Amino acid sequence: MPARAISARSGSRPRSAASTGSDPTVPGAPGASEKLRDAARSRRLILDAAEALFSERGFDGVGLREIAAASGLSRQTPSYLFGSKEELYRAVLERVSADRQYATGKAMSPLHAWCEQGGDRFALKDALAESLQSYMRFFLARPSFARFISWEELAGAARLRSARRQATALTDAFAAIGTVAKQRGLRHFTVDDAVLLWIALGYAPIANQATVQVAMNRDLSDATTRGRPVAFAVDQMFFLLAGAED
């Protein structure tokens, strides 16, 4: 009897697996740890293949069989592990969003350190530059994120909204700066304005790497080339947070 598809979100498994006597979820079952490792590896391969294909073609342009073929696994594996294309797409969105949240949190750590360690308003520029470089490097290394956002924007972003994800790292960092702004000689600013300006200066150039940046003959993957737009972005962020330099 063929195994029913399972849902990655519910963590349920097919009853037929238990009937074989080698259920990988049962401790002590023959080969349990090996089967768990194989399942985790299969899941990772499917997610990697799905991320590459969905980000290139969008949700409607990819089928589960293509994803299975790209992963090197059987054509039934995506359905077995994720249940449906919709669930797999959501799992990919959740993974790439979680990675973005983690990377952005790390990127903003120099700004949190500036808040905690008592830096002056000019040391803030160094923290902004370090954070922005790290922030941009993530999107350069993971171009699929920007592609997903573009596809979701075109589709109305319903699937993006339904995915379980966090996007608080930027808000947290600028809220922290806001709490010390007055005592550090900064001016009052709105956190939402700071987040929007940061995205416009740091994310948008990477998201338009193949269009606007090509037209400007800029390759932002090159650190030297990236230095000029980063310096400009830092000046704009600093003006919003601190006003004109003395």
Side-chain angles (χ1 to χ4, degrees), residues 48-60 62 89 92-93 96-97 100 138-157 159-160 203-211 221:
D48 289 346
E51 180 176 327
L53 290 172
F54 280 139
S55 67
E56 180 182 341
R57 305 182 198 172
F59 178 82
D60 294 325
V62 183
Y89 185 83
V92 172
L93 279 179
V96 74
S97 295
R100 185 279 317 272
F138 169 77
F139 297 111
L140 286 165
R142 196 74 171 273
S144 58
F145 180 84
R147 294 173 189 155
F148 271 116
I149 296 302
S150 295
W151 282 113
E152 284 299 303
E153 180 67 29
L154 290 171
R159 293 185 179 92
L160 184 65
Y203 169 75
I206 306 299
N208 293 281
Q209 174 83 329
T211 53
S221 64

Side-chain angles (χ1 to χ4, degrees), residues 18 62 135 146 157 167 175 177 186 204 224 241:
V62 183
Y135 178 77
I177 294 173
L186 306 185
T224 301
L241 302 175

Side-chain angles (χ1 to χ4, degrees), residues 1 48 53 62 87 129 144-145 158 162 165 188 228 231:
M1 180 179 183
D48 289 346
L53 290 172
V62 183
E87 290 290 333
S144 58
F145 180 84
S162 72
R165 61 194 183 91
H188 174 74
R228 182 179 175 185

Side-chain angles (χ1 to χ4, degrees), residues 77-166:
T77 305
S79 295
Y80 182 85
L81 291 174
F82 294 94
S84 68
K85 188 172 81 165
E86 193 83 34
E87 290 290 333
L88 174 55
Y89 185 83
R90 186 180 294 112
V92 172
L93 279 179
E94 290 175 355
R95 185 179 73 157
V96 74
S97 295
D99 290 348
R100 185 279 317 272
Q101 170 75 356
Y102 176 76
T104 304
K106 287 187 66 176
M108 305 308 280
S109 60
L111 291 173
H112 285 286
W114 179 86
C115 294
E116 296 162 3
Q117 296 170 10
D120 62 25
R121 56 188 252 132
F122 296 106
L124 176 60
K125 291 195 78 171
D126 293 333
L128 287 167
E130 186 178 352
S131 290
L132 193 62
Q133 284 279 14
S134 179
Y135 178 77
M136 295 176 77
R137 281 195 296 269
F138 169 77
F139 297 111
L140 286 165
R142 196 74 171 273
S144 58
F145 180 84
R147 294 173 189 155
F148 271 116
I149 296 302
S150 295
W151 282 113
E152 284 299 303
E153 180 67 29
L154 290 171
R159 293 185 179 92
L160 184 65
R161 287 192 295 270
S162 72
R164 295 173 297 187
R165 61 194 183 91
Q166 286 185 311

